[in-house]
Amino acid sequence: MDNNAGVSKGKSIASMACGIAGIVGSFGWGVGLVLAIVALVLSKKYVEEAGADNAFSKAGRITGIIGLILSVIGLVVCIACAACTGAAACASAAVNGFSLQ
């Protein structure tokens, strides 16, 4: 018997869907980061309402955490690539005798 029969599973299912979408979109300009945070919030709200986890809310929390980690890694990689591109442009300008002023 389901212990949380009176509580809708909508938030837990939405949490899982947002978590999965967060993983898929983790390298997509912050989309994955937003979806991962939404997955974590929905999972927490479901647990507060129901008083217990179900499989969907657990999956939402786990995929939300994975999506959050991958999004942060993707953000760091994007920043590093931008920094390297800028440094390469400065070095190229210096080698070719151009002034960046």
Side-chain angles (χ1 to χ4, degrees):
M1 187 81 178
D2 193 8
N3 292 339
N4 24 340
V7 178
S8 171
K9 293 182 182 180
K11 286 183 183 169
S12 63
I13 293 171
S15 171
M16 183 185 67
C18 286
I20 293 169
I23 291 173
V24 172
S26 62
F27 294 101
W29 300 104
V31 173
L33 181 67
V34 172
L35 289 171
I37 292 170
V38 169
L40 293 172
V41 169
L42 286 174
S43 176
K44 182 176 166 90
K45 286 190 181 263
Y46 176 79
V47 171
E48 287 174 354
E49 288 177 7
D53 271 343
N54 67 3
F56 293 121
S57 65
K58 285 180 187 175
R61 186 171 45 257
I62 292 168
T63 56
I65 291 169
I66 293 170
L68 189 63
I69 291 169
L70 289 176
S71 293
V72 169
I73 290 171
L75 184 63
V76 169
V77 168
C78 285
I79 291 170
C81 286
C84 289
T85 301
C90 288
S92 175
V95 167
N96 292 326
F98 294 113
S99 176
L100 295 177
Q101 297 174 349

